């Protein structure tokens, strides 16, 4: 009788200890990590649609350049222009619009990638494999556009993305602000000069392979975001609902 009572007491006590340990584990180890992962995914969703759209718009522009570069009315002349030619801000809305907007589209993709790398890639996700896969995809994009035949460089692509971040926010500056800085800020214009030189040589039908590889990588990023339900394939109607689009 005494032995049975003793076993019961020890059993209850032991069960209580186990329950206590489980509770502590859930409260201080599992729950915080789960919450961190949820917070990380929220931030991932915050950037996913703008990145998808930026990739889509750049893909469309690069395809258009490749398709029309040989046409008499194609973009060849426009891509040879430079902000150095601007005598007023009006230049950026007229003859300089095409080359400026192309430079902006490239920089915008680099910018969203920079924001991802700053705020998302190293956050604690439950599925580490997805994080790693996405990291390699964005690295592949930078490698493609800064290939050995390009006059852009891997870390320069990082730089044009970093410089486009609207300081104190989590999004790029607008194209109008980009144009204004190119016109007013000599240091800013000087930093992006290499990108405009790249576009000038694209107009001379150089770097076709670079553009084609870049397009392939843009598509891969979009497909990754769609496949993993981080973003959705958007229609024209949804574009207007995206902040900073």
């Amino acid at each position: 009788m005494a032995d049975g009572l003793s076993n019961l007491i020890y059993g209850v006590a032991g069960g209580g200890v186990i329950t206590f340990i489980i509770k502590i584990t859930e409260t201080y180890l599992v729950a915080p990590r789960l919450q961190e992962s949820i917070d990380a995914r929220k931030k991932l969703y915050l950037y996913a649609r703008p990145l998808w759209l930026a990739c889509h718009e750049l893909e469309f522009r690069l395809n258009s350049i490749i398709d029309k570069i040989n046409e008499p009315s194609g973009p060849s002349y426009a891509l040879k222009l430079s902000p150095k030619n601007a005598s007023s801000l009006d230049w950026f809305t007229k003859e300089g619009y095409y080359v400026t907007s192309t430079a902006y589209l490239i920089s915008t993709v680099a910018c969203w990638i920079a924001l991802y790398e700053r705020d998302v890639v190293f956050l604690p996700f439950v599925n580490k494999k997805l994080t790693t896969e996405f990291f390699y995809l964005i690295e592949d994009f930078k490698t493609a556009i800064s290939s050995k035949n390009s006059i852009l460089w891997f870390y320069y692509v990082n730089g044009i993305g970093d410089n486009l971040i609207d300081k104190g926010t989590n999004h790029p500056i607008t194209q109008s602000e980009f144009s204004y800085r190119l016109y007013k800020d000599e240091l800013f214009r000087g930093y992006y000069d290499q990108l405009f030189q790249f576009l000038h040589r694209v107009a001379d039908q150089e770097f076709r392979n670079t553009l084609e590889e870049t397009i392939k990588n843009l598509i891969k990023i979009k497909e990754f975001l769609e496949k993993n339900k981080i973003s959705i394939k958007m229609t024209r109607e949804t574009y207007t609902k995206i902040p900073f689009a």
Side-chain angles (χ1 to χ4, degrees):
M1 179 71 176
D3 288 343
L5 182 60
S6 177
N7 289 337
L8 178 62
I9 292 171
Y10 282 123
V12 171
V17 170
I18 292 171
T19 302
F20 176 74
I21 292 172
I22 292 173
K23 189 68 175 176
I24 289 293
T25 302
E26 288 178 345
T27 303
Y28 294 101
L29 294 177
V30 177
R33 289 184 181 180
L34 182 60
Q35 185 59 47
E36 285 177 351
S37 182
I38 291 171
D39 292 342
R41 198 159 185 85
K42 284 180 180 177
K43 189 155 284 191
L44 186 66
Y45 277 108
L46 176 67
Y47 295 147
R49 282 193 171 189
L51 175 61
W52 188 98
L53 180 60
C55 289
H56 183 73
E57 290 183 332
L58 180 57
E59 175 199 345
F60 183 85
R61 176 63 61 88
L62 296 183
N63 271 319
S64 177
I65 289 171
I66 290 172
D67 291 342
K68 298 177 180 178
I69 199 69
N70 291 320
E71 295 180 6
S73 59
S76 181
Y77 170 76
L79 288 174
K80 290 185 177 182
L81 299 177
S82 166
K84 294 176 182 178
N85 307 132
S87 57
S88 69
L89 270 175
D90 192 51
W91 181 88
F92 293 93
T93 66
K94 292 185 171 60
E95 61 264 38
Y97 173 78
Y98 191 84
V99 69
T100 302
S101 61
T102 303
Y104 179 75
L105 290 174
I106 294 171
S107 302
T108 300
V109 172
C111 181
W112 284 115
I113 286 174
L115 286 164
Y116 255 112
E117 290 180 324
R118 185 189 74 180
D119 293 348
V120 176
V121 168
F122 299 108
L123 288 176
F125 289 93
V126 171
N127 192 336
K128 300 291 185 183
K129 183 180 177 182
L130 281 182
T131 310
T132 303
E133 183 181 348
F134 183 68
F135 178 77
Y136 283 128
L137 282 175
I138 59 179
E139 293 296 289
D140 286 346
F141 161 78
K142 290 186 286 186
T143 300
I145 201 168
S146 62
S147 66
K148 62 181 180 180
N149 296 320
S150 174
I151 60 168
L152 303 179
W153 302 281
F154 186 90
Y155 291 106
Y156 177 71
V157 177
N158 286 342
I160 62 176
D162 287 334
N163 271 328
L164 206 71
I165 297 173
D166 194 0
K167 302 306 178 188
T169 73
N170 57 0
H171 59 78
I173 61 174
T174 62
Q175 185 175 328
S176 59
E177 178 64 19
F178 180 64
S179 299
Y180 181 81
R181 292 187 189 182
L182 286 173
Y183 180 63
K184 285 289 189 179
D185 189 333
E186 186 176 351
L187 289 176
F188 186 84
R189 182 171 62 251
Y191 192 82
Y192 283 89
D193 181 64
Q194 190 69 12
L195 179 56
F196 283 93
Q197 288 188 40
F198 170 77
L199 294 175
H200 186 284
R201 290 175 63 172
V202 166
D204 288 330
Q205 302 185 44
E206 294 187 57
F207 311 132
R208 183 186 179 95
N209 289 340
T210 297
L211 298 188
E212 290 174 344
E213 287 302 311
T214 300
I215 290 168
K216 289 178 185 177
N217 281 279
L218 290 168
I219 292 171
K220 287 179 182 178
I221 292 173
K222 287 168 55 183
E223 288 176 344
F224 174 87
L225 294 173
E226 294 164 14
K227 181 180 70 175
N228 292 289
K229 297 181 172 56
I230 301 167
S231 184
I232 58 172
K233 187 173 183 177
M234 291 179 285
T235 61
R236 185 176 296 276
E237 288 73 22
T238 60
Y239 292 170
T240 56
K241 300 178 183 178
I242 301 172
F244 319 116

